[in-house]
Amino acid sequence: MTKGTSSFGKRTSKTHTLCVRCGRRSYHIQKSKCASCGYPAARKRTFNWGMKSKRRRTDGTGRKAYTRHLTRRFKNGFREGTQATLKRAVASA
């Protein structure tokens, strides 16, 4: 009974497959539950201890250009039609 090389050859079955909702290889076949997003639960799986994970999945990380730039525009008060002042002009004045 060895724990090494000969045992690794027997690892042929897959426990996780692709998830329908998040697309990651985290859907546990026997449990019928995704380890990443919690599918088929209605609520998405998130935790406060996983700040990086939240940052990766939050609004504006996908393809929607509008949502992607929304936080920056909100920070500047949704200003439009203005021109940034030149740094040289400000330094000499």
Side-chain angles (χ1 to χ4, degrees):
M1 292 294 233
T2 59
K3 296 185 281 182
T5 312
S6 57
S7 299
F8 281 95
K10 292 179 175 68
R11 297 185 183 191
T12 52
S13 62
K14 287 198 287 184
T15 52
H16 294 92
T17 187
L18 292 176
C19 174
V20 183
R21 182 159 67 186
C22 67
R24 293 181 60 149
R25 191 167 171 257
S26 307
Y27 187 79
H28 198 284
I29 300 163
Q30 284 187 327
K31 288 183 183 178
S32 299
K33 187 169 187 175
C34 179
S36 181
C37 70
Y39 180 84
R43 205 173 286 192
K44 197 172 71 170
R45 178 186 169 273
T46 53
F47 296 100
N48 285 332
W49 49 258
M51 289 307 294
K52 273 189 182 177
S53 177
K54 276 184 164 185
R55 217 178 302 141
R56 284 187 214 108
R57 303 148 185 253
T58 191
D59 294 340
T61 55
R63 288 170 27 186
K64 282 176 130 182
Y66 177 80
T67 339
R68 223 180 19 241
H69 306 307
L70 202 60
T71 45
R72 173 173 41 84
R73 288 177 57 234
F74 170 76
K75 186 180 70 178
N76 296 320
F78 294 101
R79 64 177 176 212
E80 284 182 336
T82 57
Q83 192 70 32
T85 54
L86 291 170
K87 287 186 177 180
R88 283 179 293 180
V90 175
S92 61

